Amino acid sequence: MRLLLALGNPGAKYRDTRHNIGWWLADRLAHRWGGGPFRVDGPTAWTTGTARPGVEIHKPLAYMNRSGESLARLLAERRFDARGFDPAADMLVLVDDVALPAGRFRLRARGSPGGHNGLASISASLGSDEYGRLRLGVGRPPDERIDLVAWVLSRMPRAEEEGALGAFPRAAEAVEYWLEHGVEAAMNRFNRLG
């Protein structure tokens, strides 16, 4: 079983914000793979796609900084642990990243949370930074006086949003390559282009 964990915040207030770009890509992947609507089951909303059996896409329903709590419950309540689930090989986190401009993405096999509260929560839950992540660019505030929290909880201007969405076909290919070949191979193939 493979797990795509898309980080974001629940609720209409946050749906279109930079922080939820992981959820946007999750929606795109579900559609691309012929998945049904996301259904709420315990700590997440999730779906699968007929084109990718054995892959589940999950959106934690806790707020971003508590994503790890949702993951811990998911792993305890579902079949991931029973089948030898290894987060380092079997999980990819879809997450926003202010260090990348909108329209760019990067795969990483491991690493510190880098100040991202969602990743910090995931790492705390797993007791490890050994899990893949697909970092989706949302850009930095144009002025250092702009509060970073306010920035990621705001909407992108139309041109930025179009740039971010324009990268999704290539990001989807990167996820599919990860599924087939693993994170290191996907990094080598896509990071220079993403």
Side-chain angles (χ1 to χ4, degrees):
M1 183 64 66
R2 310 298 284 286
L3 169 62
L4 295 178
L5 191 71
L7 302 191
N9 284 314
K13 175 180 177 181
Y14 300 106
R15 183 183 61 229
D16 298 324
T17 66
R18 290 175 172 90
H19 232 10
N20 276 38
I21 196 170
W23 282 26
W24 303 357
L25 181 57
D27 293 341
R28 180 69 60 94
L29 290 168
H31 177 75
R32 181 179 172 114
W33 298 341
F38 281 81
R39 54 198 174 274
V40 174
D41 182 12
T44 68
W46 71 284
T47 191
T48 60
T50 56
R52 292 288 168 175
V55 179
E56 294 185 3
I57 306 169
H58 287 260
K59 298 176 182 178
L61 296 177
Y63 287 100
M64 179 70 78
N65 62 353
R66 296 177 55 208
S67 298
E69 296 173 24
S70 292
L71 176 61
R73 281 188 55 203
L74 175 66
L75 295 179
E77 294 173 7
R78 294 181 61 85
R79 58 193 171 276
F80 292 104
D81 282 340
R83 295 192 181 173
F85 178 78
D86 175 10
D90 300 326
M91 182 173 80
L92 186 68
V93 177
L94 311 179
V95 62
D96 63 294
D97 193 323
V98 298
L100 295 170
R104 302 292 303 271
F105 65 86
R106 288 285 180 273
L107 286 148
R108 292 202 56 198
R110 65 194 60 80
S112 75
H116 193 288
N117 290 334
L119 291 177
S121 181
I122 297 296
S123 294
S125 173
L126 294 173
S128 171
D129 292 328
E130 297 285 324
Y131 57 91
R133 67 269 334 243
L134 178 62
R135 299 164 42 221
L136 301 160
V138 296
R140 288 194 183 281
D143 185 327
E144 63 186 35
R145 293 172 293 183
I146 296 174
D147 179 66
L148 194 57
V149 172
W151 175 256
V152 297
L153 294 178
S154 67
R155 293 185 65 150
M156 292 181 184
R158 180 174 295 241
E160 276 184 52
E161 184 175 314
E162 288 173 359
L165 296 175
F168 277 15
R170 191 83 177 138
E173 290 176 24
V175 172
E176 291 167 350
Y177 201 84
W178 167 77
L179 288 168
E180 298 296 327
H181 305 284
V183 70
E184 298 286 349
M187 288 168 58
N188 290 335
R189 183 178 179 114
F190 288 91
N191 279 357
R192 69 182 186 281
L193 304 171

